[in-house]
Amino acid sequence: MRGSTRFRAAAAAVTTLSLLLTACGGGSSGGSSGKVDPNGTFTVYGTEPQNTLIPTNTNELGGSKAVDPMFAQLVGFKGDNAEPYNLMADSVTTSDSKVYDIKLKHGWKFHDGTEVKAKNFVDAWNYGAYAPNGQLNSTFFGNIQGYADVHPEDKNAKPSTDKMSGLQVKNDYEFQVTLNAPFSVFAIKIGYTAFAPLPDSFFKDPKAFGQHPIGNGPMKFVSRTPNADIKLTRFDEYQGQNKVKFKDLDIKIYASQETAYQDLLSNKLDFIETLPPSALAGSKYKADLKDNLVNGHLLGISTIAIPYYVPGYDNPNLRKAISLAIDRDQITKTVMNDTYVPADGYVSQGIPGYRPGVCKSCHFDPAQAKQLFGQSGFHGKLTIASNADGGRKEPLVAACNSIKNVLGVECDFVPATDFGQWRSIVTGHKLTGMGRSDWSADYPSIENFLNPIYRTGASSNDSVYANPKVDAKLAEADGTADKDAAVKLYQQAEDLIAEDLPSIPVWDEKGVAAKSKHTKGVVLDFRRRADYSSVEVTQK
Amino acid sequence: MIRYVLRRLLQLIPVFFGTTFLIYALVWAVPGDPFAGKCGQQACPQSYIDLMTGKFHLDDNLIVQYFKYLGSLFTGDWGETFNGTSVGELIANSYPITLRLALIAVLIEAVIGLAAGVLTGLRGKGFLDNLVLVSTTFLISLPVFVTAIVLQLVLGTELGIIDVSVSDDPSFGELIVPGIALGSLSMAYVARLTRTSIAENRHADYIRTAIAKGQPAGRVIGIHLLRNSVIPVLTFLGTDLGALMGGAIVTEGVFNINGLGGLIFRGIQNRESATVVGVVVLLVLVYLVMSLLVDLLYAVLDPRIRYD
């Protein structure tokens, strides 16, 4: 294979040329009319995983692109609308949303041939939660009973045990989960990456496992060359409904998005889930891609948090005035080139329970904005801070300008060098003005947009917002077993939040991806990945 | 000569410690929590931070950290990245590719640069001289990333002659265009240096003597003129090979080449401090060795330069 590519490229150039010369007026369609190839290779854009390839230690896109197809969770989410369905679970039942009884489907196998049993889940979750293992996703197990024993709050305390009391194996295909407190969304939450089962071989040598993961998903691990590629292949004994229709998955790791995009345009790469700034500028991507543009629906939301600890900002009129002064329509169209849509609530559009217009002051109304700003009595300068890389800066500068023009107040964008520095400013409560606060869902539920962000003391409560009424409403919703009733309660919590405006919803990312002409039916899922089960590869 | 070499080798030791300590301090002592952005919008679990802090000795003071790092380095352990990949393995995978790329770049520099320099230096003013002057000025004024991206877009995307990105383990053929992009700047400098040096030495006494003795023109130019004129060029080429090993950062990034430059490129992007320190330490070694070799070559080329 080495050395031949250049020759092939040259040969291809020559053939294309001669084809062009001879086939003049032949009217060839020159498109993706190739036959579907069930043994084809699907090549996707990748970045180097930031952590080991273990579900409990993978939380970013680069790693989850490889980990997710290798592991199947109890619950899966449909690619196009994120609707949950039972994948490995035969049933998940509860009467009080505190004790969950989970039955598994029979006959599922790990890639090493061993059967997936209830204890594989229980062992994996215990491993993920156990503090000395230092797993990134350990907090996801936080509401299982006994979590505090395996993962004490105090960093110097030794865990008294390595097993959570809330996990009980009933038999090979059934186990029971008892939570600290009722949590109605648990049956959806277990679809998150961290809740995958692990085979017995993992516990013998986790480090070796990280180099060669063995899962129970539709694709199995073949090889990995750091900084170059991760190769997976179809697992033919896979039972789930999200089987893949191609054979090999080649996750090609790029140092630059631009290069990957160029590769995609020359059909050397089959899928990229995000477009580089140069392609977005002036909506160039629309002309570049035409039929190969893939529109998705990401479940995420961008807001501008207004911290309560900054003097002068704790003022409802000021909050409303700022929100009314941002021309969301124009910014999403011109600055963001139609890759975002205006947001008008705290929940991403497309989540069950989303209602349009929840936030009453999330539209553009210069007159009212000016009036409220006058009433607020605010003096001084407004600032919006964020990391400036990755296209974060431009829309916020535009928002600032919009505020400046409408309210006649100074507004500055304050850059941080990178995401790490930005997060340490936010978590250290060192903001001196407003700050970007984006959220993308770990699992598709209205709960995931409220609890982690607006509950008092929650892990991503950037505004340091605290409202006992909201906390009570969220707790009530968590404890309601009936799904629809729970959603209603979450909505009431959202209404309360919208009145306080701890952060200003600004836009919702649509998700714009691109595919090559060698692929059909690629769907972008809610976490910005290709839904591999939707993909068909044509002969090259 | 041997005493000189020994002295130079001894001098390498403090230079090595000084530079590597500086690098280590610059990379690891950057303000900010290295785990702040690792968990997205949420703060990382304390247990993860503790585990990583212990693994990278981050709770020791910088000097202790540095010596612990050096200690493992001397046992052949380059450390690990945050995702558990061995840095030694990363370097082992990527240095052959960078070496190939650097070799191509140096070849292009040396062959084209020297040829253009010699030709224009011998002929003096004229069309060719102006042509080289203009084209080298043009090349010198272009930053490497512009040259690389223009070559990539024109030859790759537009004309389809080359692949836009190279494969994981590229052949020499695939590396020619990236090599041109990488070597173009230095090629221009080599041409200029050679031209000046030749033009200066052309009228030297020993050349006149050689011609007067009836030596054939080829010998006069090849042995007498070139050998003496090439010393400043050699200094440049020698250190440039070191620079190319690391200077490939931009080029390797653009063409997605999996070499040392690409490794640093990604290391900086992802804040993989262990990778950055490891690769830069290696580059320091390459630099030191290259400059030693260049110094020793002087004596071979010009016997008047004696080191004892």
Side-chain angles (χ1 to χ4, degrees):
Chain A
M1 219 168 77
R2 285 167 61 180
S4 61
T5 356
R6 220 184 111 79
F7 270 116
R8 249 189 287 139
V14 173
T15 9
T16 329
L17 202 66
S18 51
L19 275 178
L20 278 176
L21 292 173
T22 51
C24 251
S28 77
S29 60
S32 56
S33 54
K35 265 175 55 187
V36 171
D37 181 5
N39 291 319
T41 302
F42 184 49
T43 313
V44 300
Y45 164 77
T47 46
E48 184 67 3
Q50 288 178 19
N51 308 296
T52 42
L53 293 177
I54 298 171
T56 46
N57 209 30
T58 300
N59 70 337
E60 39 72 59
L61 190 63
S64 70
K65 241 181 235 177
V67 168
D68 272 12
M70 283 194 281
F71 291 89
Q73 276 76 10
L74 293 162
V75 170
F77 304 115
K78 284 189 182 144
D80 44 359
N81 58 6
E83 195 186 310
Y85 61 91
N86 284 346
L87 186 56
M88 258 223 74
D90 197 34
S91 67
V92 181
T93 45
T94 180
S95 55
D96 53 0
S97 35
K98 188 165 191 260
V99 181
Y100 283 82
D101 200 51
I102 299 170
K103 288 201 177 74
L104 302 182
K105 286 175 184 157
H106 292 238
W108 279 53
K109 292 226 164 77
F110 283 110
H111 302 151
D112 61 359
T114 55
E115 200 175 352
V116 188
K117 293 180 177 162
K119 76 171 170 61
N120 294 114
F121 283 95
V122 170
D123 290 349
W125 298 5
N126 277 328
Y127 179 88
Y130 187 54
N133 293 332
Q135 298 295 294
L136 273 177
N137 287 329
S138 58
T139 46
F140 276 90
F141 304 101
N143 51 6
I144 297 173
Q145 201 171 68
Y147 177 77
D149 301 328
V150 299
H151 198 124
E153 282 277 326
D154 177 15
K155 64 180 272 192
N156 296 318
K158 272 235 170 259
S160 53
T161 169
D162 58 358
K163 304 251 181 308
M164 288 184 279
S165 59
L167 295 177
Q168 219 108 74
V169 178
K170 292 268 174 185
N171 60 48
D172 275 359
Y173 303 102
E174 186 180 353
F175 67 107
Q176 199 178 56
V177 186
T178 311
L179 305 179
N180 288 327
F183 183 55
S184 55
V185 188
F186 190 71
I188 294 177
K189 186 176 173 176
I190 50 178
Y192 179 70
T193 312
F195 292 90
L198 291 169
D200 295 338
S201 59
F202 168 80
F203 302 96
K204 286 182 199 126
D205 191 352
K207 198 168 159 63
F209 185 91
Q211 307 294 326
H212 194 295
I214 295 162
N216 62 330
M219 309 215 78
K220 62 182 174 189
F221 182 83
V222 176
S223 68
R224 171 176 174 204
T225 314
N227 286 323
D229 58 22
I230 303 173
K231 287 185 176 9
L232 307 180
T233 188
R234 185 170 56 206
F235 177 51
D236 288 318
E237 286 168 73
Y238 184 69
Q239 315 257 340
Q241 62 184 92
N242 57 340
K243 282 191 180 114
V244 291
K245 299 171 206 152
F246 53 89
K247 187 153 189 294
D248 296 308
L249 178 69
D250 190 355
I251 302 171
K252 213 176 150 200
I253 292 168
Y254 284 88
S256 121
Q257 255 180 33
E258 300 283 345
T259 310
Y261 185 69
Q262 295 303 330
D263 260 356
L264 183 112
L265 292 183
S266 37
N267 295 303
K268 259 189 78 184
L269 181 74
D270 291 325
F271 183 78
I272 177 168
E273 75 279 351
T274 177
L275 305 181
S278 68
L280 293 177
S283 297
K284 181 173 170 289
Y285 67 96
K286 289 180 185 164
D288 280 351
L289 294 167
K290 296 186 192 83
D291 298 345
N292 292 323
L293 185 65
V294 178
N295 277 306
H297 197 120
L298 305 182
L299 297 184
I301 189 148
S302 302
T303 65
I304 298 175
I306 315 180
Y308 280 84
Y309 58 82
V310 180
Y313 278 80
D314 183 10
N315 181 333
N317 283 336
L318 176 70
R319 287 163 187 272
K320 279 182 199 152
I322 294 171
S323 180
L324 289 166
I326 300 173
D327 192 347
R328 295 170 179 75
D329 277 316
Q330 211 214 333
I331 295 173
T332 48
K333 251 189 216 97
T334 54
V335 183
M336 301 169 127
N337 299 298
D338 285 331
T339 55
Y340 284 73
V341 289
D344 56 359
Y346 290 88
V347 175
S348 177
Q349 299 167 18
I351 286 265
Y354 163 81
R355 295 159 297 156
V358 168
C359 169
K360 298 278 184 301
S361 27
C362 289
H363 57 276
F364 186 52
D365 187 341
Q368 205 194 343
K370 242 182 250 164
Q371 189 208 337
L372 285 169
F373 185 68
Q375 287 169 13
S376 76
F378 180 85
H379 291 289
K381 196 165 79 173
L382 295 172
T383 55
I384 304 179
S386 164
N387 52 321
D389 52 354
R392 301 291 178 205
K393 178 183 172 187
E394 292 75 11
L396 292 175
V397 169
C400 236
N401 285 335
S402 185
I403 294 169
K404 197 191 295 180
N405 293 340
V406 171
L407 302 181
V409 62
E410 278 290 300
C411 182
D412 277 343
F413 175 78
V414 183
T417 47
D418 61 13
F419 188 67
Q421 197 214 350
W422 164 241
R423 284 311 298 173
S424 50
I425 291 173
V426 172
T427 49
H429 296 167
K430 290 191 190 103
L431 279 171
T432 52
M434 295 180 278
R436 177 176 77 87
S437 176
D438 290 358
W439 180 257
S440 28
D442 300 306
Y443 44 91
S445 161
I446 178 171
E447 178 272 334
N448 194 232
F449 284 86
L450 302 174
N451 265 331
I453 315 174
Y454 300 107
R455 215 173 178 149
T456 308
S459 55
S460 302
N461 190 339
D462 293 351
S463 311
V464 198
Y465 173 61
N467 183 344
K469 277 193 210 153
V470 171
D471 293 347
K473 212 38 120 184
L474 288 172
E476 195 187 339
D478 287 349
T480 304
D482 179 47
K483 278 197 186 100
D484 297 329
V487 167
K488 285 222 168 62
L489 288 164
Y490 285 122
Q491 288 176 336
Q492 289 170 18
E494 191 194 356
D495 288 335
L496 292 172
I497 296 166
E499 273 169 39
D500 291 338
L501 224 61
S503 62
I504 300 170
V506 276
W507 26 77
D508 227 344
E509 189 170 0
K510 278 206 290 196
V512 182
K515 68 175 193 65
S516 76
K517 67 173 187 187
H518 297 304
T519 48
K520 282 181 180 166
V522 189
V523 167
L524 185 71
D525 77 2
F526 78 94
R527 289 177 66 191
R528 202 198 282 280
R529 292 173 308 209
D531 174 33
Y532 297 127
S533 67
S534 67
V535 177
E536 283 182 314
V537 181
T538 57
Q539 272 160 2
K540 287 179 187 169
Chain B
M1 188 71 171
I2 290 172
R3 274 183 56 200
Y4 173 75
V5 174
L6 278 179
R7 208 168 63 226
R8 277 296 305 262
L9 283 175
L10 283 178
Q11 278 171 2
L12 291 187
I13 295 169
V15 176
F16 174 78
F17 279 100
T19 45
T20 51
F21 178 72
L22 269 180
I23 293 154
Y24 192 89
L26 284 174
V27 172
W28 279 107
V30 280
D33 174 4
F35 309 109
K38 288 290 272 183
C39 301
Q41 292 292 123
Q42 297 180 346
C44 284
Q46 188 60 42
S47 62
Y48 169 79
I49 297 175
D50 293 345
L51 191 80
M52 286 298 169
T53 309
K55 194 168 161 188
F56 292 97
H57 314 299
L58 295 181
D59 38 11
D60 294 324
N61 77 41
L62 197 65
I63 310 278
V64 178
Q65 275 184 48
Y66 169 68
F67 280 105
K68 279 186 176 167
Y69 177 75
L70 271 192
S72 53
L73 200 63
F74 284 125
T75 60
D77 177 11
W78 292 79
E80 258 184 24
T81 62
F82 286 125
N83 66 16
T85 320
S86 132
V87 175
E89 191 193 319
L90 286 177
I91 291 176
N93 282 344
S94 48
Y95 89 88
I97 301 171
T98 298
L99 214 57
R100 246 174 269 167
L101 183 65
L103 210 66
I104 290 173
V106 166
L107 271 179
I108 289 169
E109 279 173 29
V111 173
I112 303 182
L114 274 177
V118 169
L119 277 178
T120 52
L122 287 178
R123 288 232 193 128
K125 296 224 179 306
F127 170 73
L128 193 70
D129 192 40
N130 284 331
L131 182 75
V132 169
L133 186 75
V134 169
S135 54
T136 51
T137 311
F138 180 69
L139 280 181
I140 288 170
S141 58
L142 282 181
V144 176
F145 74 91
V146 174
T147 327
I149 290 177
V150 166
L151 282 175
Q152 184 191 36
L153 286 182
V154 172
L155 295 180
T157 313
E158 298 292 323
L159 298 177
I161 300 173
I162 58 158
D163 287 338
V164 174
S165 65
V166 308
S167 57
D168 295 346
D169 192 5
S171 58
F172 274 97
E174 278 180 279
L175 290 175
I176 287 178
V177 175
I180 292 173
L182 182 61
S184 61
L185 184 63
S186 303
M187 179 178 83
Y189 280 121
V190 168
R192 288 285 183 90
L193 268 175
T194 317
R195 179 187 168 279
T196 321
S197 185
I198 294 245
E200 201 177 282
N201 288 336
R202 201 153 56 109
H203 304 294
D205 292 343
Y206 63 89
I207 297 291
R208 221 178 327 152
T209 314
I211 295 172
K213 271 165 64 184
Q215 297 261 2
R219 195 174 158 78
V220 172
I221 294 167
I223 303 294
H224 296 274
L225 182 56
L226 212 55
R227 184 165 163 175
N228 286 292
S229 307
V230 94
I231 286 181
V233 181
L234 196 75
T235 320
F236 181 78
L237 277 178
T239 45
D240 201 44
L241 186 66
L244 285 177
M245 297 286 282
I249 295 177
V250 174
T251 321
E252 294 195 1
V254 169
F255 289 96
N256 204 44
I257 298 171
N258 203 6
L260 290 178
L263 212 55
I264 303 187
F265 189 85
R266 293 179 224 233
I268 294 169
Q269 269 183 339
N270 303 336
R271 284 198 155 207
E272 283 289 1
S273 310
T275 320
V276 177
V277 174
V279 180
V280 178
V281 164
L282 183 74
L283 292 180
V284 166
L285 286 173
V286 172
Y287 248 107
L288 294 178
V289 171
M290 282 315 295
S291 55
L292 178 67
L293 281 181
V294 167
D295 280 358
L296 295 181
L297 265 181
Y298 285 165
V300 177
L301 282 174
D302 187 349
R304 285 173 304 174
I305 303 176
R306 293 250 168 75
Y307 294 119
D308 291 312

